[in-house]
């Protein structure tokens, strides 16, 4: 089998409890939950064989089944979305070539992000996993810097080598740049989009790897690959006029709703 998309969703988020069930109003004023919008984003990706929601919470299960999603119940002990994807893949009997983790807080993920990610992973036999990165324009970078100045955790940034293999991911803005940018300027900072593609063997191995201190400090699950010496490919993607943001904090709700209005997403 080919590509499985898993949307991991948990209710007990430390920063934003109940986040998957938060309603977001689109351009037409209709409110749909975060998990429904994430599911719709996954279903819009061409070439995907199956899409499932993976959760340990009955409230999320009931909501997801209510709008027609397939749900896989996974253990409460899953430490992060990658472990939940591994549990879901195992519960489905395995057999998929590539498993995509489209995190349930990224409803604005364009379908080509996932398509490019899968193609990039297939083309790089050294990488066990891949993730998309988007070059920040000045508007996005200035938003990151404002979030950090006001004590909020905004997006994650990434740095990578000449082969595209990740060197580090951080909730701080890296690399440092002393320059200031207008909204439409290209910058040297890359926004890490919260999507992953894994080869089945790497995903199955992940829960058995030791979680290192950097993963604990940053709260970023992908650092487990780096801390255990595994290559993760960063695939540069293009916005094509689309805005992208994850829902990390309650303050992000109006930001996402404004983006959906601007992009005419219902």
């Amino acid at each position: 089998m080919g590509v499985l998309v898993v949307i991991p969703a948990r209710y007990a988020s430390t920063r934003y409890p109940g986040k998957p069930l938060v309603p977001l109003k689109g351009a037409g004023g209709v409110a749909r939950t975060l998990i429904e919008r994430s599911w719709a984003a996954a279903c819009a990706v061409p070439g995907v064989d199956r899409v499932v929601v993976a959760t340990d919470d009955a409230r999320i299960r009931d909501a997801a089944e209510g709008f027609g999603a397939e749900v896989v119940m996974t253990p409460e002990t899953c430490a992060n979305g990658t472990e939940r994807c591994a549990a879901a893949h195992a519960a489905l009997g395995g057999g998929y070539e590539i498993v995509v983790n489209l995190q349930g807080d990224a409803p604005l993920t364009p379908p080509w992000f996932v398509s490019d990610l899968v193609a990039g992973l297939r083309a790089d036999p050294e990488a066990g996993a891949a993730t998309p990165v988007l070059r920040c324009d000045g508007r996005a970078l200035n938003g990151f810097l404002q979030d950090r100045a006001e004590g909020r955790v905004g997006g994650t940034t990434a740095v990578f080598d000449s082969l595209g293999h990740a060197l580090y991911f951080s909730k701080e803005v890296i690399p440092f740049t002393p320059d200031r940018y207008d909204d439409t300027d290209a910058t040297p900072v890359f926004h890490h989009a919260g999507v992953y593609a894994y080869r089945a063997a790497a995903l199955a191995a992940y829960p058995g790897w030791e979680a290192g201190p950097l993963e604990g400090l940053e709260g970023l699950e992908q650092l487990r690959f780096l801390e255990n010496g595994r290559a993760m490919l960063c695939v540069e993607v293009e916005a094509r006029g689309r805005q992208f943001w994850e829902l990390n904090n309650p303050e992000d709700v109006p930001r996402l709703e404004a983006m959906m209005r601007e992009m005419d997403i219902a």
Side-chain angles (χ1 to χ4, degrees):
M1 291 182 284
V3 179
L4 168 70
V5 176
V6 180
I7 305 170
R10 64 189 184 101
Y11 193 90
S13 169
T14 302
R15 283 185 285 161
Y16 199 170
K19 183 169 66 171
L21 303 184
V22 169
L24 294 170
K25 289 184 180 179
V30 176
R32 294 184 175 88
T33 61
L34 176 63
I35 189 64
E36 182 175 359
R37 292 192 178 279
S38 299
W39 176 77
C43 291
V45 179
V48 166
D49 297 281
R50 193 173 187 178
V51 176
V52 301
V53 173
T55 188
D56 57 14
D57 190 275
R59 290 163 291 190
I60 295 174
R61 177 199 62 203
D62 294 346
E65 290 181 342
F67 57 74
E70 180 181 0
V71 179
V72 179
M73 296 303 290
T74 49
E76 294 182 8
T77 53
C78 292
N80 56 43
T82 301
E83 290 192 9
R84 201 169 300 282
C85 286
H89 187 226
L92 293 171
Y96 287 89
E97 175 200 1
I98 291 175
V99 179
V100 173
N101 172 354
L102 195 156
Q103 298 191 92
D105 59 6
L108 301 185
T109 304
W112 59 88
F113 278 25
V114 181
S115 299
D116 290 353
L117 186 62
V118 170
L121 183 59
R122 283 175 167 158
D124 186 345
E126 294 184 11
T131 195
V133 294
L134 181 68
R135 185 182 293 274
C136 290
D137 59 17
R139 179 183 182 184
L141 175 56
N142 293 332
F144 285 179
L145 293 171
Q146 182 178 355
D147 279 340
R148 297 307 296 128
E150 296 176 1
R152 293 190 300 270
V153 175
T156 297
T157 56
V159 290
F160 44 90
D161 66 17
S162 60
L163 298 177
H165 293 166
L167 297 171
Y168 197 60
F169 299 90
S170 183
K171 290 177 180 175
E172 292 290 351
V173 179
I174 56 173
F176 167 76
T177 170
D179 299 325
R180 291 296 175 261
Y181 302 89
D182 292 332
D183 281 357
T184 58
D185 289 345
T187 79
V189 176
F190 284 85
H191 179 192
H192 168 240
V195 189
Y196 305 96
Y198 319 98
R199 298 188 192 280
L203 180 61
Y206 179 94
W209 296 338
E210 182 178 355
L214 297 175
E215 178 184 350
L217 288 168
E218 293 270 10
L220 296 174
E221 64 204 85
Q222 67 269 34
L223 289 174
R224 194 178 305 183
F225 283 91
L226 276 58
E227 291 191 86
N228 284 275
R230 269 55 177 201
M232 172 171 278
L233 177 68
C234 290
V235 177
E236 184 174 355
V237 295
E238 296 182 354
R240 302 184 194 176
R242 285 280 295 267
Q243 298 180 62
F244 178 84
W245 201 265
E246 300 100 344
L247 199 158
N248 295 302
N249 308 286
E251 295 87 353
D252 292 323
V253 171
R255 178 181 285 175
L256 264 71
E257 290 180 334
M259 289 179 175
M260 287 190 289
R261 288 193 299 270
E262 289 181 28
M263 293 184 289
D264 199 27
I265 297 175

